[in-house]
Amino acid sequence: MFNRRNFCQASVLACGAFAVASSHLANAAAVMAKVGQPLTEVAHLDWLCNAVGLTSTGRLFVGLPRWPGFENTPSIAEVLPNGTLKPFPGGDWNEWEPGKPNAKALVKINTIHIFDDDTLWAIDQGEDAGPHGINLGQKILQFDTRNGKLLRSITLAPAVLPAGANLNDLRLDSGHAYLTDSGLGAIIVVNLATGVSVRRLADHPSTKMSPERRPIGEEGRPLQMPDGSDHQVHSDPIEISPDGKWLYYQPLSGPLWRVPTEALRDTQMSEKALGDTVEFVYDTGPLTGTAIDSAGNLYLAEYDRPRITVLSPDGSLRVVAEDPKLWNPDAMIISNTRELYIPVPQSARMAANRGPGGVDGLVRPFKIYKLQLPALYGNRETVPALVGKPLA
């Protein structure tokens, strides 16, 4: 059961227009005012980049996933001032190959984040075991960006990360990590003090991609596997409200949902009771990345249009930037200087995502852009520091 009735009263992020919105972003944005902030190129790379991280001193790190055709990337690297890449954290971590040990190696990094303590968090999906296997080496990592020291390596039990599960993205609050599982669909919560983890909403429709909502990419082309079936990407983008009370998430093809973080953490609450707290937010189209600012504005990286839109707490939807350079943007971040960083991996142009006989349409080099947020939006959302010893 989806609880829509009290949506407008529940949080500073929720206002009436959120709840009544019912049309796809592509249709709604057509009648909204366009902001059209100019793009500035930050870096261009030979490797496909789907995520970026920025330290308080301006050091730029990039996530370089080992997707089909890019199996030899270093997985994570720092972009040096001269534009060259320095593998991070260095050594054997960046040199994994099939057959090598995977515990202290970057196998298949799906995303990176740098929060306010300047530590780098990474999601490693491990060795791909297919839709019915358990990925070896799947883990959550935290590194010190100053010296590359490993601070945490968290692995999850099969009960939390069963066969077919794929960790996708994460966000933090003062003591927990929240993660999406895009392989099967679920929200995972990890207590960072105790290491205890739980799998929630695994049977709830909000974490599942509906077959009726196809993952449409560039030029109306669906995202397809080599066998012709649609890519099934379940719970994917994730954000936490500035007050920490709400977790926002959606399958790749939408729509957008939210659930109270307190309810997710309550291990005594049944799955049925937890499901009753889930609220519909907005009938989004396909999104590959999101960001949220200190005022609760949600930035949406649209997959079927070359643009970034923002859904504000007052319910208004605006185009922040629309440009042919922005086809298939991904995991965005907001800097301390209120700049929105946008990696553009062009994933819909990959041959592996274009169905039977798919032809590579990638335009090289791969670009990272940034734009200055208008004054009416908020600042970077703060996240408490979580530097600590590795969990036992």
Side-chain angles (χ1 to χ4, degrees):
M1 175 180 179
F2 306 147
N3 180 5
R4 297 178 172 86
R5 292 175 297 173
N6 299 322
F7 182 77
C8 300
Q9 305 170 5
S11 164
V12 295
L13 273 181
C15 289
F18 264 106
V20 300
S22 60
S23 61
H24 287 291
L25 289 178
N27 295 329
V31 297
M32 297 291 179
K34 292 186 178 181
V35 177
Q37 292 295 101
L39 300 175
T40 300
E41 183 179 315
V42 176
H44 57 269
L45 312 170
D46 292 331
W47 300 114
L48 180 152
C49 169
N50 72 331
V52 295
L54 197 66
T55 69
S56 59
T57 59
R59 294 169 63 200
L60 179 66
F61 291 78
V62 291
L64 309 170
R66 287 175 173 158
W67 290 346
F70 298 91
E71 291 83 359
N72 296 320
T73 82
S75 294
I76 302 175
E78 180 180 359
V79 181
L80 299 179
N82 64 3
T84 61
L85 297 181
K86 179 183 178 182
F88 179 87
D92 292 341
W93 278 103
N94 302 92
E95 298 174 358
W96 182 85
E97 295 177 349
K100 287 187 175 182
N102 54 42
K104 292 187 176 182
L106 307 178
V107 179
K108 189 180 180 183
I109 297 299
N110 191 63
T111 194
I112 64 169
H113 290 282
I114 295 177
F115 297 107
D116 293 340
D117 60 3
D118 276 350
T119 65
L120 184 148
W121 291 73
I123 295 294
D124 190 343
Q125 294 182 331
E127 301 183 51
D128 189 358
H132 306 295
I134 292 180
N135 293 358
L136 299 177
Q138 192 160 200
K139 53 193 176 288
I140 307 158
L141 299 167
Q142 182 191 19
F143 293 98
D144 189 328
T145 55
R146 298 168 299 179
N147 52 27
K149 179 182 177 182
L150 177 68
L151 300 174
R152 301 177 195 256
S153 179
I154 304 171
T155 56
L156 303 175
V160 177
L161 206 61
N166 278 304
L167 294 175
N168 188 285
D169 207 349
L170 88 159
R171 294 295 184 270
L172 306 178
D173 65 14
S174 59
H176 298 80
Y178 302 84
L179 305 104
T180 46
D181 166 15
S182 59
L184 299 175
I187 305 297
I188 295 168
V189 183
V190 181
N191 184 312
L192 293 170
T194 66
V196 173
S197 58
V198 292
R199 183 178 180 85
R200 311 306 308 263
L201 298 175
D203 297 316
H204 196 272
S206 66
T207 63
K208 312 296 182 184
M209 180 171 159
S210 170
E212 287 74 34
R213 298 177 69 104
R214 302 188 72 188
I216 302 300
E218 189 172 355
E219 298 177 348
R221 178 182 298 191
L223 199 66
Q224 289 185 315
M225 302 284 286
D227 64 5
S229 62
D230 284 355
H231 272 278
Q232 293 294 304
V233 183
H234 300 291
S235 43
D236 186 352
I238 184 173
E239 296 295 341
I240 295 180
S241 62
D243 59 11
K245 293 181 179 179
W246 293 95
L247 184 85
Y248 290 82
Y249 62 96
Q250 76 164 62
L252 169 64
S253 56
L256 183 66
W257 305 89
R258 71 176 191 167
V259 63
T261 55
E262 183 178 11
L264 282 172
R265 297 190 301 267
D266 185 355
T267 57
Q268 301 304 310
M269 180 178 286
S270 70
E271 283 296 301
K272 182 182 183 305
L274 177 61
D276 287 343
T277 70
V278 172
E279 297 183 354
F280 170 84
V281 178
Y282 204 89
D283 193 9
T284 52
L287 302 178
T288 41
T290 55
I292 193 168
D293 67 23
S294 61
N297 297 295
L298 281 161
Y299 299 85
L300 312 175
E302 298 189 25
Y303 204 59
D304 57 348
R305 299 283 293 272
R307 68 184 183 185
I308 308 299
T309 47
V310 59
L311 193 56
S312 295
D314 64 3
S316 62
L317 183 72
R318 296 181 177 88
V319 177
V320 178
E322 182 164 8
D323 192 296
K325 300 173 183 176
L326 292 178
W327 275 111
N328 315 138
D330 213 310
M332 302 173 292
I333 63 167
I334 298 173
S335 73
N336 290 330
T337 55
R338 303 185 65 259
E339 291 175 308
L340 185 70
Y341 280 68
I342 310 165
V344 184
Q346 310 172 56
S347 53
R349 295 174 175 174
M350 295 174 59
N353 292 334
R354 289 189 157 191
V359 177
D360 186 334
L362 295 168
V363 178
R364 294 168 171 82
F366 297 93
K367 303 293 184 67
I368 301 168
Y369 298 101
K370 68 178 180 179
L371 58 83
Q372 187 68 52
L373 292 178
L376 71 157
Y377 300 129
N379 303 317
R380 173 186 170 103
E381 185 184 39
T382 60
V383 178
L386 288 170
V387 173
K389 296 180 180 180
L391 299 179

PDB file of all heavy atoms in Angstrom, residues 161-194:
ATOM      1  N   LEU A 161      22.631  -9.616   0.646  1.00  0.00           N
ATOM      2  CA  LEU A 161      23.006  -9.443  -0.755  1.00  0.00           C
ATOM      3  C   LEU A 161      22.948 -10.816  -1.435  1.00  0.00           C
ATOM      4  O   LEU A 161      23.970 -11.440  -1.688  1.00  0.00           O
ATOM      5  CB  LEU A 161      24.413  -8.844  -0.837  1.00  0.00           C
ATOM      6  CG  LEU A 161      24.768  -8.040  -2.086  1.00  0.00           C
ATOM      7  CD1 LEU A 161      23.870  -6.824  -2.241  1.00  0.00           C
ATOM      8  CD2 LEU A 161      26.219  -7.614  -2.049  1.00  0.00           C
ATOM      9  N   PRO A 162      21.746 -11.282  -1.763  1.00  0.00           N
ATOM     10  CA  PRO A 162      21.590 -12.636  -2.309  1.00  0.00           C
ATOM     11  C   PRO A 162      22.002 -12.736  -3.773  1.00  0.00           C
ATOM     12  O   PRO A 162      22.413 -11.742  -4.394  1.00  0.00           O
ATOM     13  CB  PRO A 162      20.095 -12.890  -2.141  1.00  0.00           C
ATOM     14  CG  PRO A 162      19.477 -11.529  -2.213  1.00  0.00           C
ATOM     15  CD  PRO A 162      20.462 -10.594  -1.582  1.00  0.00           C
ATOM     16  N   ALA A 163      21.917 -13.938  -4.305  1.00  0.00           N
ATOM     17  CA  ALA A 163      22.252 -14.175  -5.706  1.00  0.00           C
ATOM     18  C   ALA A 163      21.435 -13.258  -6.606  1.00  0.00           C
ATOM     19  O   ALA A 163      20.218 -13.130  -6.445  1.00  0.00           O
ATOM     20  CB  ALA A 163      21.995 -15.637  -6.061  1.00  0.00           C
ATOM     21  N   GLY A 164      22.120 -12.605  -7.545  1.00  0.00           N
ATOM     22  CA  GLY A 164      21.470 -11.691  -8.472  1.00  0.00           C
ATOM     23  C   GLY A 164      21.492 -10.241  -8.043  1.00  0.00           C
ATOM     24  O   GLY A 164      21.155  -9.348  -8.824  1.00  0.00           O
ATOM     25  N   ALA A 165      21.905  -9.984  -6.795  1.00  0.00           N
ATOM     26  CA  ALA A 165      21.928  -8.611  -6.286  1.00  0.00           C
ATOM     27  C   ALA A 165      23.154  -7.864  -6.790  1.00  0.00           C
ATOM     28  O   ALA A 165      24.231  -8.434  -6.940  1.00  0.00           O
ATOM     29  CB  ALA A 165      21.910  -8.614  -4.763  1.00  0.00           C
ATOM     30  N   ASN A 166      22.982  -6.580  -7.028  1.00  0.00           N
ATOM     31  CA  ASN A 166      24.074  -5.699  -7.444  1.00  0.00           C
ATOM     32  C   ASN A 166      23.978  -4.393  -6.679  1.00  0.00           C
ATOM     33  O   ASN A 166      23.021  -3.632  -6.854  1.00  0.00           O
ATOM     34  CB  ASN A 166      24.006  -5.390  -8.949  1.00  0.00           C
ATOM     35  CG  ASN A 166      24.603  -6.470  -9.805  1.00  0.00           C
ATOM     36  OD1 ASN A 166      25.759  -6.836  -9.632  1.00  0.00           O
ATOM     37  ND2 ASN A 166      23.816  -7.002 -10.718  1.00  0.00           N
ATOM     38  N   LEU A 167      24.972  -4.121  -5.832  1.00  0.00           N
ATOM     39  CA  LEU A 167      25.010  -2.822  -5.181  1.00  0.00           C
ATOM     40  C   LEU A 167      25.143  -1.735  -6.239  1.00  0.00           C
ATOM     41  O   LEU A 167      25.902  -1.872  -7.189  1.00  0.00           O
ATOM     42  CB  LEU A 167      26.192  -2.745  -4.211  1.00  0.00           C
ATOM     43  CG  LEU A 167      26.136  -3.671  -2.995  1.00  0.00           C
ATOM     44  CD1 LEU A 167      27.429  -3.567  -2.200  1.00  0.00           C
ATOM     45  CD2 LEU A 167      24.936  -3.340  -2.121  1.00  0.00           C
ATOM     46  N   ASN A 168      24.417  -0.644  -6.052  1.00  0.00           N
ATOM     47  CA  ASN A 168      24.423   0.398  -7.087  1.00  0.00           C
ATOM     48  C   ASN A 168      24.958   1.730  -6.584  1.00  0.00           C
ATOM     49  O   ASN A 168      25.924   2.263  -7.117  1.00  0.00           O
ATOM     50  CB  ASN A 168      23.014   0.582  -7.653  1.00  0.00           C
ATOM     51  CG  ASN A 168      22.985   1.497  -8.849  1.00  0.00           C
ATOM     52  OD1 ASN A 168      23.091   2.711  -8.719  1.00  0.00           O
ATOM     53  ND2 ASN A 168      22.847   0.931 -10.040  1.00  0.00           N
ATOM     54  N   ASP A 169      24.324   2.305  -5.564  1.00  0.00           N
ATOM     55  CA  ASP A 169      24.716   3.635  -5.105  1.00  0.00           C
ATOM     56  C   ASP A 169      24.529   3.711  -3.599  1.00  0.00           C
ATOM     57  O   ASP A 169      23.882   2.847  -2.992  1.00  0.00           O
ATOM     58  CB  ASP A 169      23.882   4.703  -5.805  1.00  0.00           C
ATOM     59  CG  ASP A 169      24.605   6.046  -5.902  1.00  0.00           C
ATOM     60  OD1 ASP A 169      25.656   6.206  -5.246  1.00  0.00           O
ATOM     61  OD2 ASP A 169      24.114   6.935  -6.616  1.00  0.00           O
ATOM     62  N   LEU A 170      25.098   4.749  -2.968  1.00  0.00           N
ATOM     63  CA  LEU A 170      24.971   4.888  -1.521  1.00  0.00           C
ATOM     64  C   LEU A 170      24.880   6.339  -1.119  1.00  0.00           C
ATOM     65  O   LEU A 170      25.342   7.233  -1.820  1.00  0.00           O
ATOM     66  CB  LEU A 170      26.143   4.230  -0.803  1.00  0.00           C
ATOM     67  CG  LEU A 170      27.418   5.061  -0.541  1.00  0.00           C
ATOM     68  CD1 LEU A 170      28.225   4.440   0.574  1.00  0.00           C
ATOM     69  CD2 LEU A 170      28.253   5.198  -1.790  1.00  0.00           C
ATOM     70  N   ARG A 171      24.275   6.539   0.055  1.00  0.00           N
ATOM     71  CA  ARG A 171      24.272   7.824   0.741  1.00  0.00           C
ATOM     72  C   ARG A 171      24.457   7.547   2.226  1.00  0.00           C
ATOM     73  O   ARG A 171      24.201   6.455   2.709  1.00  0.00           O
ATOM     74  CB  ARG A 171      22.962   8.588   0.506  1.00  0.00           C
ATOM     75  CG  ARG A 171      22.731   9.040  -0.936  1.00  0.00           C
ATOM     76  CD  ARG A 171      23.758  10.058  -1.384  1.00  0.00           C
ATOM     77  NE  ARG A 171      23.481  10.557  -2.732  1.00  0.00           N
ATOM     78  CZ  ARG A 171      23.946  10.014  -3.842  1.00  0.00           C
ATOM     79  NH1 ARG A 171      24.710   8.928  -3.777  1.00  0.00           N
ATOM     80  NH2 ARG A 171      23.653  10.538  -5.015  1.00  0.00           N
ATOM     81  N   LEU A 172      24.890   8.581   2.976  1.00  0.00           N
ATOM     82  CA  LEU A 172      25.192   8.436   4.390  1.00  0.00           C
ATOM     83  C   LEU A 172      24.365   9.403   5.227  1.00  0.00           C
ATOM     84  O   LEU A 172      23.991  10.474   4.772  1.00  0.00           O
ATOM     85  CB  LEU A 172      26.676   8.741   4.661  1.00  0.00           C
ATOM     86  CG  LEU A 172      27.743   7.984   3.871  1.00  0.00           C
ATOM     87  CD1 LEU A 172      29.110   8.487   4.289  1.00  0.00           C
ATOM     88  CD2 LEU A 172      27.626   6.490   4.067  1.00  0.00           C
ATOM     89  N   ASP A 173      24.108   8.987   6.479  1.00  0.00           N
ATOM     90  CA  ASP A 173      23.712   9.953   7.491  1.00  0.00           C
ATOM     91  C   ASP A 173      24.744   9.876   8.611  1.00  0.00           C
ATOM     92  O   ASP A 173      25.864   9.405   8.390  1.00  0.00           O
ATOM     93  CB  ASP A 173      22.262   9.740   7.959  1.00  0.00           C
ATOM     94  CG  ASP A 173      22.040   8.418   8.682  1.00  0.00           C
ATOM     95  OD1 ASP A 173      23.030   7.751   9.082  1.00  0.00           O
ATOM     96  OD2 ASP A 173      20.868   8.037   8.863  1.00  0.00           O
ATOM     97  N   SER A 174      24.403  10.287   9.818  1.00  0.00           N
ATOM     98  CA  SER A 174      25.406  10.375  10.870  1.00  0.00           C
ATOM     99  C   SER A 174      25.949   9.028  11.320  1.00  0.00           C
ATOM    100  O   SER A 174      27.007   8.973  11.957  1.00  0.00           O
ATOM    101  CB  SER A 174      24.831  11.110  12.084  1.00  0.00           C
ATOM    102  OG  SER A 174      23.691  10.427  12.571  1.00  0.00           O
ATOM    103  N   GLY A 175      25.259   7.944  11.006  1.00  0.00           N
ATOM    104  CA  GLY A 175      25.753   6.653  11.467  1.00  0.00           C
ATOM    105  C   GLY A 175      25.446   5.477  10.581  1.00  0.00           C
ATOM    106  O   GLY A 175      25.740   4.329  10.940  1.00  0.00           O
ATOM    107  N   HIS A 176      24.846   5.723   9.422  1.00  0.00           N
ATOM    108  CA  HIS A 176      24.414   4.621   8.572  1.00  0.00           C
ATOM    109  C   HIS A 176      24.745   4.887   7.105  1.00  0.00           C
ATOM    110  O   HIS A 176      24.820   6.037   6.670  1.00  0.00           O
ATOM    111  CB  HIS A 176      22.901   4.389   8.696  1.00  0.00           C
ATOM    112  CG  HIS A 176      22.464   4.009  10.075  1.00  0.00           C
ATOM    113  ND1 HIS A 176      22.294   4.949  11.069  1.00  0.00           N
ATOM    114  CD2 HIS A 176      22.179   2.800  10.627  1.00  0.00           C
ATOM    115  CE1 HIS A 176      21.912   4.334  12.174  1.00  0.00           C
ATOM    116  NE2 HIS A 176      21.838   3.039  11.948  1.00  0.00           N
ATOM    117  N   ALA A 177      24.931   3.807   6.381  1.00  0.00           N
ATOM    118  CA  ALA A 177      25.014   3.860   4.923  1.00  0.00           C
ATOM    119  C   ALA A 177      23.738   3.256   4.365  1.00  0.00           C
ATOM    120  O   ALA A 177      23.280   2.213   4.839  1.00  0.00           O
ATOM    121  CB  ALA A 177      26.232   3.093   4.424  1.00  0.00           C
ATOM    122  N   TYR A 178      23.171   3.919   3.377  1.00  0.00           N
ATOM    123  CA  TYR A 178      21.973   3.436   2.694  1.00  0.00           C
ATOM    124  C   TYR A 178      22.364   3.144   1.251  1.00  0.00           C
ATOM    125  O   TYR A 178      22.988   3.977   0.590  1.00  0.00           O
ATOM    126  CB  TYR A 178      20.875   4.496   2.720  1.00  0.00           C
ATOM    127  CG  TYR A 178      20.471   4.938   4.112  1.00  0.00           C
ATOM    128  CD1 TYR A 178      21.200   5.920   4.780  1.00  0.00           C
ATOM    129  CD2 TYR A 178      19.375   4.367   4.749  1.00  0.00           C
ATOM    130  CE1 TYR A 178      20.843   6.325   6.056  1.00  0.00           C
ATOM    131  CE2 TYR A 178      19.010   4.774   6.028  1.00  0.00           C
ATOM    132  CZ  TYR A 178      19.746   5.745   6.677  1.00  0.00           C
ATOM    133  OH  TYR A 178      19.394   6.147   7.945  1.00  0.00           O
ATOM    134  N   LEU A 179      21.994   1.971   0.769  1.00  0.00           N
ATOM    135  CA  LEU A 179      22.413   1.549  -0.567  1.00  0.00           C
ATOM    136  C   LEU A 179      21.233   1.014  -1.352  1.00  0.00           C
ATOM    137  O   LEU A 179      20.289   0.437  -0.785  1.00  0.00           O
ATOM    138  CB  LEU A 179      23.487   0.457  -0.472  1.00  0.00           C
ATOM    139  CG  LEU A 179      24.714   0.793   0.351  1.00  0.00           C
ATOM    140  CD1 LEU A 179      24.645   0.093   1.707  1.00  0.00           C
ATOM    141  CD2 LEU A 179      25.983   0.399  -0.365  1.00  0.00           C
ATOM    142  N   THR A 180      21.289   1.197  -2.669  1.00  0.00           N
ATOM    143  CA  THR A 180      20.301   0.572  -3.540  1.00  0.00           C
ATOM    144  C   THR A 180      20.881  -0.695  -4.154  1.00  0.00           C
ATOM    145  O   THR A 180      22.067  -0.772  -4.474  1.00  0.00           O
ATOM    146  CB  THR A 180      19.875   1.526  -4.667  1.00  0.00           C
ATOM    147  OG1 THR A 180      21.032   2.149  -5.247  1.00  0.00           O
ATOM    148  CG2 THR A 180      18.921   2.585  -4.158  1.00  0.00           C
ATOM    149  N   ASP A 181      20.026  -1.702  -4.290  1.00  0.00           N
ATOM    150  CA  ASP A 181      20.348  -2.921  -5.014  1.00  0.00           C
ATOM    151  C   ASP A 181      19.592  -2.853  -6.326  1.00  0.00           C
ATOM    152  O   ASP A 181      18.368  -2.948  -6.358  1.00  0.00           O
ATOM    153  CB  ASP A 181      19.923  -4.154  -4.202  1.00  0.00           C
ATOM    154  CG  ASP A 181      19.925  -5.436  -5.026  1.00  0.00           C
ATOM    155  OD1 ASP A 181      20.520  -5.450  -6.122  1.00  0.00           O
ATOM    156  OD2 ASP A 181      19.318  -6.430  -4.567  1.00  0.00           O
ATOM    157  N   SER A 182      20.323  -2.662  -7.423  1.00  0.00           N
ATOM    158  CA  SER A 182      19.684  -2.537  -8.734  1.00  0.00           C
ATOM    159  C   SER A 182      19.527  -3.874  -9.442  1.00  0.00           C
ATOM    160  O   SER A 182      18.878  -3.957 -10.482  1.00  0.00           O
ATOM    161  CB  SER A 182      20.489  -1.583  -9.622  1.00  0.00           C
ATOM    162  OG  SER A 182      21.816  -2.061  -9.795  1.00  0.00           O
ATOM    163  N   GLY A 183      20.129  -4.940  -8.884  1.00  0.00           N
ATOM    164  CA  GLY A 183      20.012  -6.250  -9.510  1.00  0.00           C
ATOM    165  C   GLY A 183      18.673  -6.904  -9.268  1.00  0.00           C
ATOM    166  O   GLY A 183      18.042  -7.432 -10.186  1.00  0.00           O
ATOM    167  N   LEU A 184      18.214  -6.861  -8.013  1.00  0.00           N
ATOM    168  CA  LEU A 184      16.935  -7.473  -7.644  1.00  0.00           C
ATOM    169  C   LEU A 184      15.924  -6.442  -7.176  1.00  0.00           C
ATOM    170  O   LEU A 184      14.721  -6.680  -7.253  1.00  0.00           O
ATOM    171  CB  LEU A 184      17.148  -8.506  -6.528  1.00  0.00           C
ATOM    172  CG  LEU A 184      18.057  -9.690  -6.860  1.00  0.00           C
ATOM    173  CD1 LEU A 184      18.280 -10.550  -5.622  1.00  0.00           C
ATOM    174  CD2 LEU A 184      17.465 -10.524  -7.983  1.00  0.00           C
ATOM    175  N   GLY A 185      16.412  -5.330  -6.657  1.00  0.00           N
ATOM    176  CA  GLY A 185      15.533  -4.300  -6.129  1.00  0.00           C
ATOM    177  C   GLY A 185      15.386  -4.403  -4.628  1.00  0.00           C
ATOM    178  O   GLY A 185      14.732  -5.321  -4.127  1.00  0.00           O
ATOM    179  N   ALA A 186      15.995  -3.464  -3.899  1.00  0.00           N
ATOM    180  CA  ALA A 186      15.891  -3.406  -2.443  1.00  0.00           C
ATOM    181  C   ALA A 186      16.674  -2.200  -1.956  1.00  0.00           C
ATOM    182  O   ALA A 186      17.477  -1.614  -2.703  1.00  0.00           O
ATOM    183  CB  ALA A 186      16.432  -4.678  -1.788  1.00  0.00           C
ATOM    184  N   ILE A 187      16.449  -1.834  -0.695  1.00  0.00           N
ATOM    185  CA  ILE A 187      17.252  -0.845  -0.001  1.00  0.00           C
ATOM    186  C   ILE A 187      18.006  -1.571   1.107  1.00  0.00           C
ATOM    187  O   ILE A 187      17.416  -2.344   1.873  1.00  0.00           O
ATOM    188  CB  ILE A 187      16.384   0.277   0.622  1.00  0.00           C
ATOM    189  CG1 ILE A 187      15.503   0.927  -0.451  1.00  0.00           C
ATOM    190  CG2 ILE A 187      17.277   1.310   1.295  1.00  0.00           C
ATOM    191  CD1 ILE A 187      16.252   1.632  -1.557  1.00  0.00           C
ATOM    192  N   ILE A 188      19.301  -1.321   1.194  1.00  0.00           N
ATOM    193  CA  ILE A 188      20.141  -1.952   2.212  1.00  0.00           C
ATOM    194  C   ILE A 188      20.632  -0.865   3.162  1.00  0.00           C
ATOM    195  O   ILE A 188      21.057   0.209   2.724  1.00  0.00           O
ATOM    196  CB  ILE A 188      21.328  -2.688   1.563  1.00  0.00           C
ATOM    197  CG1 ILE A 188      20.812  -3.850   0.705  1.00  0.00           C
ATOM    198  CG2 ILE A 188      22.308  -3.197   2.615  1.00  0.00           C
ATOM    199  CD1 ILE A 188      21.841  -4.463  -0.202  1.00  0.00           C
ATOM    200  N   VAL A 189      20.548  -1.155   4.454  1.00  0.00           N
ATOM    201  CA  VAL A 189      20.991  -0.214   5.482  1.00  0.00           C
ATOM    202  C   VAL A 189      22.112  -0.872   6.277  1.00  0.00           C
ATOM    203  O   VAL A 189      21.960  -2.003   6.761  1.00  0.00           O
ATOM    204  CB  VAL A 189      19.837   0.183   6.418  1.00  0.00           C
ATOM    205  CG1 VAL A 189      20.316   1.228   7.432  1.00  0.00           C
ATOM    206  CG2 VAL A 189      18.659   0.712   5.628  1.00  0.00           C
ATOM    207  N   VAL A 190      23.233  -0.172   6.415  1.00  0.00           N
ATOM    208  CA  VAL A 190      24.378  -0.675   7.170  1.00  0.00           C
ATOM    209  C   VAL A 190      24.654   0.261   8.342  1.00  0.00           C
ATOM    210  O   VAL A 190      24.831   1.465   8.146  1.00  0.00           O
ATOM    211  CB  VAL A 190      25.641  -0.767   6.285  1.00  0.00           C
ATOM    212  CG1 VAL A 190      26.821  -1.317   7.098  1.00  0.00           C
ATOM    213  CG2 VAL A 190      25.391  -1.646   5.060  1.00  0.00           C
ATOM    214  N   ASN A 191      24.655  -0.301   9.552  1.00  0.00           N
ATOM    215  CA  ASN A 191      25.048   0.451  10.727  1.00  0.00           C
ATOM    216  C   ASN A 191      26.572   0.531  10.730  1.00  0.00           C
ATOM    217  O   ASN A 191      27.246  -0.485  10.875  1.00  0.00           O
ATOM    218  CB  ASN A 191      24.530  -0.227  11.998  1.00  0.00           C
ATOM    219  CG  ASN A 191      24.830   0.574  13.248  1.00  0.00           C
ATOM    220  OD1 ASN A 191      25.950   1.035  13.468  1.00  0.00           O
ATOM    221  ND2 ASN A 191      23.821   0.728  14.099  1.00  0.00           N
ATOM    222  N   LEU A 192      27.114   1.722  10.577  1.00  0.00           N
ATOM    223  CA  LEU A 192      28.557   1.868  10.409  1.00  0.00           C
ATOM    224  C   LEU A 192      29.324   1.711  11.711  1.00  0.00           C
ATOM    225  O   LEU A 192      30.547   1.558  11.690  1.00  0.00           O
ATOM    226  CB  LEU A 192      28.871   3.209   9.763  1.00  0.00           C
ATOM    227  CG  LEU A 192      28.388   3.340   8.314  1.00  0.00           C
ATOM    228  CD1 LEU A 192      28.515   4.786   7.838  1.00  0.00           C
ATOM    229  CD2 LEU A 192      29.141   2.415   7.382  1.00  0.00           C
ATOM    230  N   ALA A 193      28.634   1.732  12.835  1.00  0.00           N
ATOM    231  CA  ALA A 193      29.300   1.516  14.117  1.00  0.00           C
ATOM    232  C   ALA A 193      29.407   0.034  14.456  1.00  0.00           C
ATOM    233  O   ALA A 193      30.412  -0.417  14.995  1.00  0.00           O
ATOM    234  CB  ALA A 193      28.553   2.250  15.224  1.00  0.00           C
ATOM    235  N   THR A 194      28.367  -0.723  14.128  1.00  0.00           N
ATOM    236  CA  THR A 194      28.330  -2.143  14.498  1.00  0.00           C
ATOM    237  C   THR A 194      28.595  -3.089  13.341  1.00  0.00           C
ATOM    238  O   THR A 194      28.938  -4.244  13.549  1.00  0.00           O
ATOM    239  CB  THR A 194      26.966  -2.497  15.106  1.00  0.00           C
ATOM    240  OG1 THR A 194      25.954  -2.371  14.080  1.00  0.00           O
ATOM    241  CG2 THR A 194      26.635  -1.572  16.267  1.00  0.00           C
TER     242      THR A 194
END
